[in-house]
Amino acid sequence: MILTVGNVKGGVGKTTLAINLAIALAENPNRRVLLIDADDQGTAMLFSKLRLNKTGKSSYNYGSVQGKDLRNHVLNLAKHNKNLYHQIIIDAGGRDTESLRAALTVSDTLLIPVQPRSFDIWAVDQMAVLVQEARQLNPKLRALAMLNAADAQGNDNQDAGEALRDVDGVDLLPVTVGRRKAFPNAAALGQGITEYARDKKALTELQALVILLYI
């Protein structure tokens, strides 16, 4: 399965989700996972190197590919090395880039993290347009939105969810990941939330996301 975590809106937690999904999936010793950093900021690569230095392990493979090369690279893996990886996760940049568009043409699933804020919700409409264009080359592309860094209380989460359900071509996942300090605290140690395990709610939410995406 090829999963892209992307949004034209920055700061919605794409990289945090991508690295945590990669770590969670790679906990199965029989599952080989590749994390591709397609963001020119290179945060996923920086974290992966930090993780190796801090913990002495990577558990997943990682690399950086951007632009049109991303499509060719992934297609080459699928054609010539189809048994090399069980899951490929692409961390795309926080704007409309050639890398994001290329990723959508080769992915099985697009995960769109959305914070419960007006600007974030409006950005999903732009993502829906990109999805529609990508489906001309990749009709199997599944687009899934989810509330990320959600509020602990108040009506914003519910209002955002209702707005997202109205976006054509994008389905809303029935899982919410809250805004929790455990995610940056774990990242500072080179860990994923499934390894950090000091916030049971964060762990439960991440595990629920994994189940919905992969099972």
Side-chain angles (χ1 to χ4, degrees):
M1 176 177 172
I2 302 170
L3 170 74
T4 288
V5 185
N7 195 331
V8 294
K9 172 73 169 58
V12 295
K14 296 180 302 299
T15 300
T16 296
L17 286 176
I19 62 178
N20 275 279
L21 288 171
I23 292 169
L25 290 170
E27 288 180 347
N28 183 338
N30 297 318
R31 183 184 286 131
R32 295 181 298 277
V33 180
L34 172 64
L35 175 62
I36 298 177
D37 191 338
D39 187 348
D40 55 12
Q41 291 186 350
T43 306
M45 283 289 291
L46 290 173
F47 168 81
S48 298
K49 293 175 181 178
L50 170 70
R51 173 175 172 79
L52 185 59
N53 290 334
K54 289 276 189 179
T55 68
K57 63 180 181 180
S58 61
S59 69
Y60 58 85
N61 288 341
Y62 57 90
S64 176
V65 187
Q66 298 175 13
K68 293 180 180 179
D69 291 340
L70 175 62
R71 173 178 167 82
N72 295 332
H73 180 71
V74 174
L75 289 177
N76 185 62
L77 285 174
K79 181 178 181 180
H80 301 293
N81 301 284
K82 60 178 64 178
N83 296 319
L84 185 59
Y85 296 108
H86 297 98
Q87 273 92 26
I88 297 175
I89 299 173
I90 302 172
D91 177 25
R95 58 186 187 279
D96 183 355
T97 63
E98 192 172 51
S99 297
L100 174 57
R101 288 174 176 260
L104 297 185
T105 66
V106 294
S107 295
D108 299 297
T109 302
L110 165 66
L111 178 64
I112 311 170
V114 184
Q115 293 191 33
R117 304 289 180 266
S118 296
F119 291 160
D120 293 59
I121 296 169
W122 297 341
V124 180
D125 290 325
Q126 300 176 51
M127 287 300 301
V129 173
L130 295 184
V131 167
Q132 185 178 12
E133 294 175 357
R135 282 175 175 156
Q136 296 178 21
L137 287 175
N138 182 17
K140 68 179 189 218
L141 177 63
R142 180 175 62 153
L144 304 172
M146 61 159 291
L147 288 179
N148 190 45
D151 299 326
Q153 57 186 355
N155 297 324
D156 287 350
N157 294 344
Q158 180 178 346
D159 293 343
E162 292 176 356
L164 291 171
R165 290 186 186 94
D166 292 333
V167 179
D168 290 336
V170 177
D171 296 321
L172 178 64
L173 282 176
V175 62
T176 298
V177 175
R179 184 186 300 276
R180 305 189 186 283
K181 291 182 178 179
F183 285 100
N185 290 346
L189 299 174
Q191 297 178 357
I193 205 66
T194 55
E195 300 166 315
Y196 186 71
R198 298 182 189 177
D199 187 325
K200 291 184 178 180
K201 289 185 177 180
L203 176 61
T204 298
E205 290 168 353
L206 194 281
Q207 289 174 333
L209 178 61
V210 172
I211 290 172
L212 285 173
L213 290 173
Y214 290 99
I215 297 178

